[in-house]
Amino acid sequence: MIHDERKLVEKLNFEIDKRKKLEEKLSYEANHDHLTKLGNRKSCFENFENITKTLPFLLYFDLDNFKIANDKFGHKTGDKVLVDIAQSMCDSFGQNNCFRLGGDEFIAFSKAYPQDIELLRRTLLEPILEFGVGISIGVAKAEDGLTPDEIMHLADENMYKDKAHKIIRHQSRT
């Protein structure tokens, strides 16, 4: 009888471990982008306030000409571009501080305002230069009284200003 009870306990422990692993897997999948392995939009907003306590600068990234590169080189290469950008961001900001919002938009949190945006841009783009993709960057500081949506909106607006300035700088003068 004791032998049978031990077997039952072993079986129950096995089932409990199996269930815990499944719960961990489902939680990971619910909070991470399957392609880049970065946290997703949901995870970003759930962790926003805790992250900004120590990393108050939000950097908003948007890939320029990604659709053109994706169409020209194919979706497999497009996926590689996204994975390579994600890795560059992790190298610069740390895995837990980077998120993919969707498509070709990313967020990273930083302790300080980047000293040299152009150097950051070149560093992030280094692995994907051959595909003609650029990156626009907007920065906002998490200030008291601002909601995560408001901070993200400010960074997004600054990113579009950066994108507009790059277009003006690269237009030929006649």
Side-chain angles (χ1 to χ4, degrees):
M1 189 172 182
I2 292 175
H3 178 69
D4 290 341
E5 286 182 18
R6 283 186 182 155
K7 288 277 190 191
L8 179 61
V9 168
E10 285 177 14
K11 187 176 179 181
L12 289 172
N13 284 333
F14 176 78
E15 290 299 320
I16 289 169
D17 287 343
K18 195 168 137 181
R19 182 179 178 154
K20 283 181 183 178
K21 287 177 183 172
L22 179 60
E23 287 174 357
E24 288 170 3
K25 180 181 180 208
L26 291 174
S27 175
Y28 180 87
E29 289 176 0
N31 290 292
H32 290 82
D33 176 63
H34 75 281
L35 178 65
T36 64
K37 307 300 184 234
L38 295 179
N40 59 19
R41 177 182 293 272
K42 174 185 174 292
S43 178
C44 179
F45 278 100
E46 286 178 355
N47 294 293
F48 198 97
E49 290 183 26
N50 282 336
I51 292 172
T52 55
K53 287 177 185 174
T54 56
L55 305 170
F57 288 91
L58 181 146
L59 289 84
Y60 197 109
F61 302 95
D62 182 68
L63 297 181
D64 305 325
N65 302 319
F66 175 72
K67 183 179 178 350
I68 294 168
N70 201 28
D71 292 345
K72 181 178 179 181
F73 297 104
H75 294 286
K76 186 175 181 180
T77 299
D79 287 351
K80 180 184 177 346
V81 166
L82 295 172
V83 168
D84 287 350
I85 282 291
Q87 185 58 56
S88 289
M89 289 177 59
C90 290
D91 293 345
S92 295
F93 300 100
Q95 173 85 32
N96 294 331
N97 306 323
C98 300
F99 300 86
R100 181 177 179 204
L101 297 183
D104 62 353
E105 294 181 329
F106 298 85
I107 294 284
F109 293 91
S110 176
K111 190 172 204 145
Y113 190 94
Q115 293 290 321
D116 188 341
I117 293 285
E118 289 307 315
L119 177 60
L120 175 59
R121 189 184 326 272
R122 286 192 305 274
T123 301
L124 294 176
L125 292 175
E126 180 70 29
I128 60 165
L129 286 175
E130 65 193 279
F131 303 112
V133 174
I135 194 165
S136 295
I137 304 170
V139 184
K141 186 174 183 188
E143 303 278 351
D144 287 340
L146 293 178
T147 67
D149 280 330
E150 291 169 327
I151 297 163
M152 194 167 300
H153 180 72
L154 288 171
D156 186 44
E157 283 181 338
N158 291 331
M159 182 274 302
Y160 276 106
K161 288 176 187 173
D162 182 50
K163 190 178 292 278
H165 283 96
K166 285 192 311 185
I167 291 168
I168 290 169
R169 285 193 305 265
H170 290 102
Q171 286 178 341
S172 61
R173 297 181 186 182
T174 56

